[in-house]
Amino acid sequence: MIRISLDLMGGDFGPEVVIPGAAKALERHPGVSFVMFGQQEKCAPILAQYPALREKSVFHHCEIAVGMDEKPSQALRRGRYKSSMWKAIEAVKAKEADVAVSAGNTGALMAMSLFCLRTMANIERPALAGIWPTLKGESIVLDVGATIGADAQQLLDFAVMGGAMARALFEINRPMVGLLNVGVEEVKGQEEVKEAGRLIREAGLDTINYYGFVEGDDLGRGTVDVVVTEGFTGNVALKTAEGTARQIAEYLRAAMSRTLLARLGYLLAKEAFDRLREKMDPRKVNGAVFLGLNGIVIKSHGGTDAEGFAAAIDVGYDMARNGLTQKIENDLKEYHARHSSSAGPEAA
């Protein structure tokens, strides 16, 4: 049984979205159970509407809810040890839950996760890994906003962790991994990126298949299973893609309603447009994973609806069921064991 802890107060709509989202996830995964944290007066009336979910859940009252506009330092001071966000993460640390899911403030969630769970051995900074829709299916992109700026060693760590996530989520033996760059040629790009490419090639890891450099248009093509970059670039790419999807949807909506002939054409091609809408629906790929922590924490988009939050729970369920944390630990141990032995006695 997978146990999932939920921050009911996180996101733009709090329990009004989180609880119905959990109910949808329970329908898809009847074996899961939930540990819920939130303000009782706001959560209890909504939870009462979902008896099946209430039966599979344990609720804990928390007076404090972290605001979406709070600075991470402020959220830590005010909400450490007592907020719904902290308690959801702490449940993972205490082994009361296998994964925590929150739609709350990203900076606060990152700070609390770091403070509560700590990073794995040899990991300096965690990464936020998102699922990216492609022409071939889905890929993983990291970092999409947790770590601004990264050196070559950190990018290598991201590649190892992203590969482990791809194995857990997509069940691929040796996922293809690429480094996002301004060109595919080895001489192009920042020194950190070029050095990271050299480190990954020389590491000779059995758990990933290093493709080389990829460019921005490779994200949508699905050229590789895992795209590695630092958080500033990854977040810009993510927000650009989301904005472009909304822009295309608006263009189509306007074009289809402009004339009577266009409306007729839409009716004739409605099935095709419905498939396109479903493919471009950002709710289907909601749920980013903090990698490199001693526990699994999922960040849902703050403005999502119940269907989107259920998708974030789905990601957490898959990560816990497939042993994400253990896979990352094993892959990191393999790399550092090889690195230590190849460095020789002088490094020791």
Side-chain angles (χ1 to χ4, degrees):
M1 179 182 289
I2 302 298
R3 301 160 301 168
I4 301 173
S5 64
L6 299 178
D7 168 19
L8 298 186
M9 308 308 296
D12 296 342
F13 308 105
E16 294 178 8
V17 159
V18 175
I19 292 174
K24 288 178 178 290
L26 181 61
E27 291 175 1
R28 297 200 277 258
H29 312 291
V32 304
S33 63
F34 294 97
V35 187
M36 299 180 170
F37 300 90
Q39 296 171 339
Q40 185 164 0
E41 67 276 10
K42 294 182 179 179
C43 299
I46 303 173
L47 189 56
Q49 299 172 32
Y50 301 92
L53 176 64
R54 188 175 54 185
E55 189 72 22
K56 298 294 294 287
S57 304
V58 176
F59 178 84
H60 297 279
H61 171 68
C62 300
E63 290 185 7
I64 294 179
V66 174
M68 293 297 283
D69 57 349
E70 284 190 58
K71 294 180 179 178
S73 57
Q74 178 188 3
L76 262 179
R77 285 195 303 270
R78 196 174 72 87
R80 187 168 53 192
Y81 307 125
K82 47 192 175 182
S83 66
S84 58
M85 180 182 287
W86 175 276
K87 288 292 189 181
I89 300 166
E90 192 175 46
V92 174
K93 181 181 180 180
K95 309 297 183 187
E96 296 169 1
D98 302 296
V99 55
V101 185
S102 173
N105 180 322
T106 304
L109 186 64
M110 176 68 174
M112 288 190 180
S113 298
L114 261 174
F115 196 96
C116 185
L117 298 175
R118 307 295 183 183
T119 55
M120 294 177 176
N122 299 307
I123 292 294
E124 185 178 342
R125 298 182 185 179
L128 187 60
I131 302 169
W132 201 285
T134 74
L135 293 175
K136 297 180 180 179
E138 291 176 341
S139 64
I140 293 166
V141 179
L142 74 160
D143 181 15
V144 292
T147 298
I148 305 302
D151 61 26
Q153 181 60 51
Q154 288 161 354
L155 290 172
L156 183 147
D157 292 338
F158 291 176
V160 172
M161 294 190 296
M165 179 174 168
R167 285 162 50 221
L169 188 62
F170 304 144
E171 300 183 4
I172 304 172
N173 258 348
R174 290 190 70 204
M176 190 78 72
V177 176
L179 277 172
L180 188 62
N181 201 359
V182 294
V184 298
E185 298 85 358
E186 294 295 325
V187 296
K188 286 188 176 181
Q190 296 178 317
E191 289 304 316
E192 292 87 351
V193 178
K194 291 190 285 186
E195 176 65 9
R198 182 188 68 80
L199 289 177
I200 297 172
R201 278 195 307 274
E202 293 179 357
L205 292 170
D206 297 329
T207 54
I208 64 173
N209 186 3
Y210 180 53
Y211 177 88
F213 295 149
V214 294
E215 297 182 87
D217 58 346
D218 289 306
L219 291 169
R221 288 178 182 172
T223 303
V224 294
D225 303 305
V226 180
V227 177
V228 175
T229 186
E230 56 82 37
F232 181 88
T233 305
N235 191 264
V236 170
L238 176 66
K239 298 296 174 59
T240 301
E242 290 175 346
T244 302
R246 285 192 292 269
Q247 183 181 1
I248 293 172
E250 286 299 322
Y251 282 162
L252 284 172
R253 190 176 294 111
M256 292 300 100
S257 60
R258 186 164 295 154
T259 65
L260 180 60
L261 189 60
R263 288 195 288 272
L264 178 60
Y266 169 77
L267 290 174
L268 293 173
K270 187 177 183 303
E271 185 178 346
F273 281 114
D274 287 344
R275 285 199 300 269
L276 176 63
R277 186 183 298 110
E278 184 175 356
K279 186 69 176 175
M280 293 176 63
D281 189 347
R283 300 177 304 172
K284 303 294 184 183
V285 290
N286 184 42
V289 188
F290 284 114
L291 300 180
L293 300 171
N294 291 304
I296 305 173
V297 177
I298 308 296
K299 170 67 177 78
S300 166
H301 197 293
T304 194
D305 61 8
E307 186 60 44
F309 194 83
I313 294 176
D314 291 344
V315 172
Y317 173 84
D318 287 337
M319 295 298 95
R321 182 173 58 89
N322 291 304
L324 173 66
T325 303
Q326 193 61 53
K327 280 184 170 64
I328 292 176
E329 287 179 348
N330 293 342
D331 291 359
L332 289 170
K333 283 179 183 176
E334 178 189 336
Y335 164 71
H336 287 287
R338 287 193 180 196
H339 179 70
S340 298
S341 61
S342 63
E346 290 183 7

